[in-house]
Amino acid sequence: MSDSGNHWEVGTDIGGTFTDIIAIRRDSAEARIAKVPSRPDAPVQAMLEAIEAVGLRKSEVKRFVHGTTRVTNAIVENRLPKVALVATEGFADVLEIARYRRRDLYRLDIPPKSPPLVPPERCFGLAERLDHEGRVLKALEEAEVERLVAWLKGTGVQSVAVALLHAYANPVHEKMLGERLRGVVAHVSLSHEVNPEAREYERTSATVFNAAAMPIAVEYLSELEQRLPIGPGLQVFHSAGAMVPISAVKQRPLVMAMSGPAAGVSASVSIARQLGCARMLTFDMGGTTTDVCLIVDGQAEMTDGRMLGDKPLRQPMLAVHSIGAGGGSIVRNGPGGLTVGPESAGSEPGPACYGRGGTEPTITDANAVLGYLNPETKLGDRIGIGIDIAAAKRVIAPIARALGLSLTETALGIIKVANATMARALRRVTVERGIDGRDCTLLAFGGGGPMHAAGLADLYGIAEVVVPSASSAFSALGCLTADFSFLQQQTLRAALDGIDLARVSERIEALIADASAPLLANNVAKAEIQVELVALMRYAAQNDAIPVSFTLPLDVARLKQDFLTRHHELFGYATGEPCVIESVRVQARRPSTTIVSRPATAARAASTGTRTCSFDGFHDIATAIIDRASLTETINGPAIIEDAWSTVVVPPGWQAKPDTSGNLFLTRRAA
């Protein structure tokens, strides 16, 4: 076989329940798709098993990109290793002070704030000081560094976070410490590298998170490099919607936070552009969480950070809103009625209907009771999971008895509660941003998205749903189709009136060089790199900034006008007050050249005939079962459309129509 024939590119998404994979042959665009159970304690092994599941040898893989929630899960579940914090003297308690907000405004029976990320005994105040423009007020002396080294050796930590006051404006002291401390502890996280922006608490929090994630990331990424030695072809998807080399991720593992959901959004952007959708809502329902994001005019919404628990995770990322409502989310009947999640049955044991010993009722079990899942087939050709309807009924029965309802009525109630929970997530990314979600197209993917999409659209008032080809491994596909990119964002604080163009341009050029460096180091030619520039702007008296795109050379008059126009669009007014460039965001990218054909799924017997299913208002009715690969014309609901990995539910009153690319369009039937 020729080398060209052996050139396969692989994308994987490590979820809480399954690890999805899609492999693309470079010379022909042939695509293969599969799933394997996730291994939380052995993620690298799960990735290698996924490669085997699509019939490939490791030697045939020339490029491997993966998205993961490993770092995010460690943060959320508080499974982070011990970290020490080094801050400017007088500011070592910045994490303990945090912000003035209480966790719950009206509950006095709980502490107003959660414990700080680093306890006081592992916080060190360093005698040094810069002002807000980066001028040295108190130099860092050698004796002070030696005092810090002696203290660090006594803590026994393997990671240290260094977040000195105003280091974003001048990192001279942090760089000195970085050089000295790397021989003292295994991992050093510097704030000017992680989040070179103003706001001490948020910057310190992000630096500590990064330091805590470093041992986790370095260990498993090093194992992946050893067991899949393909050099620069080994890449990680990051939360801003592109892929980065592993060498860069080892120093900034925080970029992996939300990387799996971001990959699905990246693939969704491609679909939105292909279909010409002005407004699209992504709906990614996996085994553990549901993730939603807004795409406007072919661009996904970006944010400067998010909260994990009640701690800020500050870095540029796609504005993905996540909730703990996935297929494996556990259903409970509490004092306030039915609830779903955030606890999940995960991959082991999983939902009861998977027959792996699960004893808690889940959303997937409710779908099984309603007849949506095929009890006669296995999930794909590698996992070997069948659907045990009796087990699903057994775990839902206690809730049904407690509510005085039938199994069918209880299962429908569970689905309604799940859909209502997910509808609230959609409102967070639409109504709260001034967008009418009813004008959007809903793009449904993930293992559970296509089952719930029509019901969610009915509840929310959305008229059209798109289920893309390879919907069950869509995030894995996004890993391959995204651009190769790196992003830098730094505080600038430049007033437009009397701006020093030479100084500002010099700072921006330095950011461009920093963002381009990881690409150049991975054999990307400088001529192939495209640069996108965004100024985060505000009025001088404002607190929050809004993004405004610009180009070099900087046209100040045009930038101000673009800011005023955007401010009016968002808030309904614009004034002539002085404007400030708070920060600059630079993204260096090499556009993706990956071409994907319609992915082939595992071989299986074509779905035919009917199955008894129940829907809201329609109980125990004969429902057409249709094989997705053979669908060529519009079909009316009720219907279940199946392939080896996914199930699309078309309720009564809806219809489904395929296109030539394998996408399904679900719409309400005319009355």
Side-chain angles (χ1 to χ4, degrees):
M1 185 178 290
S2 68
D3 183 65
S4 175
N6 280 334
H7 189 160
W8 286 83
E9 299 183 352
V10 173
T12 65
D13 173 39
I14 306 172
T17 305
F18 295 116
T19 292
D20 303 332
I21 183 169
I22 184 164
I24 299 170
R25 184 164 159 168
R26 187 68 178 181
D27 60 340
S28 65
E30 174 192 349
R32 301 177 186 175
I33 181 176
K35 282 179 181 282
V36 298
S38 290
R39 292 175 174 260
D41 298 327
V44 174
Q45 182 60 33
M47 287 186 263
L48 298 179
E49 290 173 358
I51 292 174
E52 294 178 3
V54 289
L56 296 179
R57 299 185 298 273
K58 290 192 295 183
S59 59
E60 295 177 286
V61 178
K62 303 303 179 185
R63 179 167 164 254
F64 184 94
V65 189
H66 78 287
T68 176
T69 56
R70 186 170 178 81
V71 168
T72 308
N73 292 343
I75 292 172
V76 171
E77 297 168 14
N78 197 26
R79 292 186 291 102
L80 296 171
K82 292 181 179 179
V83 176
L85 170 64
V86 179
T88 299
E89 191 174 50
F91 292 84
D93 54 0
V94 61
L95 294 180
E96 189 170 8
I97 295 173
R99 294 296 181 195
Y100 68 89
R101 294 184 295 270
R102 296 180 59 92
R103 275 196 287 179
D104 192 302
L105 184 61
Y106 299 106
R107 291 192 60 184
L108 302 181
D109 59 326
I110 61 175
K113 301 174 185 177
S114 60
L117 292 169
V118 183
E121 62 269 20
R122 292 204 305 272
C123 296
F124 186 93
L126 192 73
E128 64 83 45
R129 190 65 180 265
L130 307 176
D131 70 7
H132 69 285
E133 293 185 353
R135 293 184 294 252
V136 177
L137 301 179
K138 181 176 179 57
L140 177 59
E141 298 178 355
E142 179 63 24
E144 187 68 2
V145 176
E146 291 295 334
R147 187 171 74 91
L148 169 62
V149 169
W151 177 82
L152 263 181
K153 289 180 178 178
T155 64
V157 299
Q158 56 178 322
S159 284
V160 59
V162 180
L164 302 181
L165 196 65
H166 303 307
Y168 60 87
N170 182 1
V172 57
H173 290 170
E174 284 198 353
K175 287 182 176 180
M176 290 171 58
L177 289 179
E179 293 174 1
R180 289 293 304 276
L181 298 183
R182 286 193 172 95
V184 179
V185 292
H187 307 288
V188 180
S189 178
L190 305 176
S191 74
H192 76 273
E193 294 177 346
V194 176
N195 180 228
E197 297 183 82
R199 300 191 180 189
E200 295 304 313
Y201 170 56
E202 286 77 9
R203 178 164 58 89
T204 304
S205 177
T207 307
V208 169
F209 274 141
N210 192 74
M214 289 176 85
I216 300 170
V218 169
E219 179 183 358
Y220 103 87
L221 290 176
S222 297
E223 180 187 353
L224 182 59
E225 286 179 306
Q226 181 182 13
R227 300 183 67 180
L228 191 61
I230 59 176
L234 205 54
Q235 298 159 4
V236 176
F237 205 85
H238 72 64
S239 52
M243 62 197 73
V244 291
I246 276 186
S247 58
V249 177
K250 285 183 176 180
Q251 291 302 311
R252 290 176 56 185
L254 205 59
V255 302
M256 289 193 298
M258 303 303 295
S259 69
V265 173
S266 177
S268 302
V269 167
S270 298
I271 293 288
R273 291 172 180 171
Q274 292 170 16
L275 300 179
C277 289
R279 293 178 176 179
M280 177 173 278
L281 282 168
T282 69
F283 171 45
D284 176 7
M285 183 178 178
T288 305
T289 63
T290 290
D291 307 302
V292 299
C293 187
L294 175 66
I295 299 172
V296 178
D297 296 329
Q299 295 289 336
E301 293 282 295
M302 292 281 292
T303 180
D304 289 330
R306 59 174 296 162
M307 301 295 288
L308 282 181
D310 59 353
K311 301 291 194 303
L313 178 63
R314 184 171 172 82
Q315 65 174 11
M317 61 177 67
L318 293 177
V320 178
H321 181 62
S322 301
I323 57 172
S329 293
I330 294 172
V331 180
R332 303 195 188 281
N333 180 30
L338 290 177
T339 60
V340 294
E343 300 88 359
S344 173
S347 57
E348 293 293 340
C353 65
Y354 285 179
R356 291 186 166 188
T359 58
E360 300 274 11
T362 67
I363 295 174
T364 297
D365 293 314
N367 283 315
V369 168
L370 295 175
Y372 302 160
L373 300 177
N374 193 336
E376 299 178 0
T377 61
K378 301 289 185 182
L379 179 58
D381 61 348
R382 293 273 177 157
I383 296 178
I385 293 177
I387 300 299
D388 187 342
I389 304 296
K393 291 180 177 180
R394 191 162 53 247
V395 295
I396 289 179
I399 295 179
R401 287 194 295 270
L403 296 176
L405 300 174
S406 68
L407 283 174
T408 296
E409 290 169 332
T410 303
L412 285 170
I414 291 171
I415 299 303
K416 284 183 178 180
V417 170
N419 288 347
T421 302
M422 292 182 281
R424 288 196 294 272
L426 293 183
R427 292 188 187 98
R428 288 290 301 273
V429 298
T430 54
V431 175
E432 294 184 14
R433 297 180 191 176
I435 298 291
D436 188 343
R438 295 171 297 182
D439 296 335
C440 298
T441 296
L442 188 68
L443 186 74
F445 54 96
M451 279 194 289
H452 288 255
L456 179 59
D458 261 333
L459 179 64
Y460 200 75
I462 293 174
E464 182 180 59
V465 174
V466 177
V467 181
S469 178
S471 59
S472 64
F474 202 58
S475 292
L477 176 64
C479 288
L480 288 185
T481 57
D483 298 337
F484 190 29
S485 158
F486 205 71
L487 185 145
Q488 290 282 84
Q489 182 168 307
Q490 186 168 11
T491 293
L492 192 62
R493 283 210 189 110
L496 289 191
D497 295 338
I499 189 171
D500 185 343
L501 276 178
R503 169 184 167 271
V504 169
S505 297
E506 182 181 352
R507 294 277 298 275
I508 294 172
E509 292 289 354
L511 281 175
I512 292 173
D514 289 344
S516 301
L519 279 66
L520 296 171
N522 281 266
N523 303 318
V524 177
K526 188 173 183 179
E528 295 181 83
I529 298 175
Q530 298 178 2
V531 175
E532 295 181 3
L533 303 173
V534 174
L536 284 89
M537 300 187 63
R538 58 177 174 81
Y539 289 119
Q542 278 183 321
N543 187 38
D544 295 321
I546 61 176
V548 181
S549 298
F550 70 98
T551 58
L552 292 179
L554 182 60
D555 184 333
V556 176
R558 179 174 179 180
L559 181 63
K560 182 173 183 178
Q561 185 56 51
D562 289 347
F563 166 69
L564 296 177
T565 300
R566 183 60 178 149
H567 196 280
H568 192 277
E569 289 174 352
L570 289 173
F571 305 111
Y573 74 95
T575 72
E577 298 173 63
C579 305
V580 174
I581 302 175
E582 175 68 17
S583 302
V584 172
R585 179 186 301 158
V586 175
Q587 187 157 25
R589 67 173 71 239
R590 183 192 65 190
S592 173
T593 58
T594 300
I595 300 173
V596 186
S597 66
R598 182 171 177 174
T601 57
R604 63 176 286 172
S607 302
T608 57
T610 62
R611 190 162 66 238
T612 300
C613 298
S614 296
F615 305 88
D616 188 23
F618 300 87
H619 293 192
D620 299 326
I621 60 174
T623 302
I625 309 300
I626 299 166
D627 180 63
R628 182 166 179 172
S630 65
L631 184 62
T632 58
E633 58 186 22
T634 301
I635 58 102
N636 294 326
I640 305 293
I641 303 173
E642 299 177 343
D643 63 25
W645 302 111
S646 63
T647 299
V648 183
V649 174
V650 187
W654 283 74
Q655 62 184 15
K657 179 181 179 181
D659 68 5
T660 56
S661 299
N663 302 311
L664 284 177
F665 294 82
L666 276 60
T667 55
R668 292 187 188 86
R669 291 205 310 268

